[in-house]
Amino acid sequence: MHHRHRPRRAVGAAVAATAALLVAGLSGSASAGTAPADAAPTAAETLRTDAAPPALLKAMQRDLGLDRRQAEHRLSNEAEAGATAARLRASLGGDFAGAWVTGAESGTLTVATTDAGDVSAIEARGAEAKVVRHSLADLDAAKARLDRAAAKHDTADAPVWYVDTRTNTVVVEAIRPAAARSLLAAAGVDRSLARVESRTERPRTFYDLRGGEAYYINNSSRCSIGFPITKGTQQGFATAGHCGRAGAGTTGANRVAQGTFQGSIFPGRDMAWVATNSSWTATPYVLGAGGQNVQVTGSTAAPVGASVCRSGSTTGWHCGTITQLNTSVTYQEGTISPVTKTTVCAEPGDSGGSYISGSQAQGVTSGGSGDCRSGGETFFQPINALLQNYGLTLKTTGGGDDGGGDDGGEEPGGTWAAGTVYQPGDTVTYGGATYRCLQGHQAQPGWEPSNVPALWQRV
């Protein structure tokens, strides 16, 4: 199942670092300190977990019950776990049944498989193995059948459904259990694949209405800026589709004319982008506590169980964990899919705002239930799909400006290109070699495939 003839030195160095992180809970910088100077960077180094600002670490401490050292270790462990899980997903193929992290510092990575013969390969990577009945591909296919059935079915009383890899089922959360059973029957999903859970609240979009780093739509409602972006020479920002339709005008929190919605999708997805005028400059930052800048160094998608923090104009910084990927949620306005489900709270006015894990952009606030006084859940529109849909480039502090950075200054050539959004399994050529994408991300200078074994595997 492993590629015996593949050059393994770079990947091997990262794997060794991963094992140290998961077993000993060391930080990326600590484990790197013992590595040769020319060793490939660890996932924690690639994803700049050291760039997490004090405001984000403090919010993690408050919301996740950690001290500062634990928060730093958690971000480092999550980066390494994501890379390890991605490599195992590539090598296990159709057996792969999902992966997640657990523990206060995300010190345990569990990888599920349908083949007991894979257990030794999983454990050799420093992860715990779980043998299950259904592959992730089978669960994803069942979820897709639910999505199709929902298009012709009233899902107001069964508003949330997702693949739950930890229980190896497709879960439908319902206000009335009969509504969930009806949806499952309409989709033709075998009950052995499904589980129904009860919920009391209907999710809603967090439209309006108070600001910090806010913007106003047509001088009336307010939302929060997601992530600054560029499209060629045009500057702007990504936000939620329900905040405004294409053509709607925006003004900043200072009431200065700002820009215009160029594209907006809602429902179905919850994505939009605003092109700003020359008074506004896109920066690689999210607004932190006390007006501090929070660095954005990339957009590598975090795994289930990972910490995630949200910045919004009503409630500021709040953190929690990613509970489910590939989720569908029904609001009053319609169904959105796929979104990511989290334990982070939000309130009206936070819509469109930024979700970030460490220094990696994750998505923009869509909606949820509850609030930040009693607690709640939220759903975010993943940022990579938004960037890909509109051809936008995330503004980041990572990488260089010239697309170079390795191979002694040669022009390596190939199909890899900065600015492209890559999904796990995509293949590119670079420097005469072929690489397979391990984790979803938008490519940027400094993240060439030969440089970052956390994101690319040579094949």
Side-chain angles (χ1 to χ4, degrees):
M1 206 164 292
H2 293 285
H3 305 273
R4 288 182 295 277
H5 56 278
R6 181 180 301 146
R8 301 293 294 185
R9 282 176 304 177
V11 175
V15 171
T18 301
L21 281 155
L22 294 173
V23 175
L26 297 172
S27 71
S29 55
S31 61
T34 59
D38 60 349
T42 66
E45 289 168 336
T46 295
L47 303 188
R48 289 298 310 281
T49 62
D50 63 339
L56 183 143
L57 292 169
K58 282 180 183 171
M60 287 178 68
Q61 291 169 59
R62 178 194 66 203
D63 295 340
L64 298 173
L66 308 173
D67 62 31
R68 185 182 175 113
R69 183 170 165 274
Q70 287 177 309
E72 291 171 340
H73 281 193
R74 181 166 183 149
L75 293 175
S76 183
N77 283 343
E78 287 167 357
E80 302 299 343
T84 301
R87 292 188 191 105
L88 284 165
R89 179 175 191 159
S91 64
L92 300 183
D95 297 345
F96 181 77
W100 57 94
V101 292
T102 52
E105 297 181 14
S106 294
T108 302
L109 168 66
T110 303
V111 176
T113 177
T114 57
D115 185 351
D118 295 331
V119 169
S120 59
I122 292 169
E123 291 177 345
R125 295 273 190 176
E128 292 189 358
K130 184 175 182 181
V131 181
V132 297
R133 181 176 175 186
H134 308 292
S135 70
L136 182 60
D138 287 344
L139 294 173
D140 282 345
K143 157 74 168 47
R145 290 198 293 276
L146 286 170
D147 288 343
R148 289 193 291 273
K152 305 170 187 171
H153 204 83
D154 181 3
T155 54
D157 287 334
V160 179
W161 58 98
Y162 49 82
V163 170
D164 183 4
T165 54
R166 286 168 291 196
T167 60
N168 198 230
T169 56
V170 177
V171 174
V172 181
E173 294 185 2
I175 293 160
R176 289 190 311 110
R181 291 192 292 269
S182 173
L183 178 60
L184 288 165
V189 171
D190 191 298
R191 286 305 299 268
S192 72
L193 276 169
R195 196 171 87 254
V196 176
E197 290 187 358
S198 64
R199 63 177 294 128
T200 54
E201 279 196 78
R202 284 189 169 83
R204 68 194 193 283
T205 45
F206 292 124
Y207 272 96
D208 278 318
L209 263 170
R210 285 173 209 24
E213 185 63 4
Y215 69 94
Y216 297 83
I217 303 93
N218 289 334
N219 288 313
S220 56
S221 59
R222 301 186 206 176
C223 272
S224 300
I225 291 172
F227 291 94
I229 53 85
T230 57
K231 182 167 183 160
T233 57
Q234 177 63 56
Q235 302 187 71
F237 59 86
T239 190
H242 73 261
C243 288
R245 296 286 177 227
T250 70
T251 51
N254 55 4
R255 291 294 193 174
V256 171
Q258 183 188 61
T260 307
F261 276 81
Q262 301 299 301
S264 175
I265 305 173
F266 181 80
R269 307 296 283 272
D270 197 358
M271 55 174 68
W273 78 284
V274 172
T276 54
N277 61 40
S278 58
S279 299
W280 298 81
T281 301
T283 69
Y285 303 114
V286 171
L287 183 70
Q292 294 175 320
N293 285 334
V294 172
Q295 286 190 63
V296 178
T297 69
S299 64
T300 301
V304 167
S307 57
V308 68
C309 299
R310 177 194 56 71
S311 179
S313 60
T314 300
T315 59
W317 278 94
H318 286 274
C319 300
T321 58
I322 291 173
T323 52
Q324 307 294 343
L325 308 175
N326 191 14
T327 299
S328 297
V329 58
T330 301
Y331 304 130
Q332 185 178 356
E333 300 91 339
T335 300
I336 315 298
S337 182
V339 291
T340 298
K341 186 172 186 273
T342 83
T343 64
V344 185
C345 68
E347 296 181 12
D350 289 328
S351 269
S354 331
Y355 278 80
I356 191 164
S357 188
S359 64
Q360 300 298 303
Q362 298 297 311
V364 298
T365 305
S366 175
S369 58
D371 56 41
C372 289
R373 292 174 298 279
S374 59
E377 66 177 1
T378 46
F379 305 91
F380 67 75
Q381 163 68 56
I383 189 68
N384 284 324
L386 191 159
L387 297 171
Q388 185 171 34
N389 188 70
Y390 293 120
L392 309 176
T393 300
L394 184 69
K395 195 80 171 166
T396 67
T397 59
D401 298 319
D402 57 5
D406 72 345
D407 297 310
E410 302 174 20
E411 289 296 330
T415 60
W416 179 88
T420 302
V421 174
Y422 292 107
Q423 302 298 340
D426 290 350
T427 57
V428 298
T429 56
Y430 185 80
T434 301
Y435 295 85
R436 179 192 294 117
C437 177
L438 295 173
Q439 301 188 78
H441 67 283
Q442 182 170 57
Q444 57 180 317
W447 281 11
E448 296 82 7
S450 54
N451 283 350
V452 284
L455 302 179
W456 293 99
Q457 182 178 54
R458 190 164 170 166
V459 295

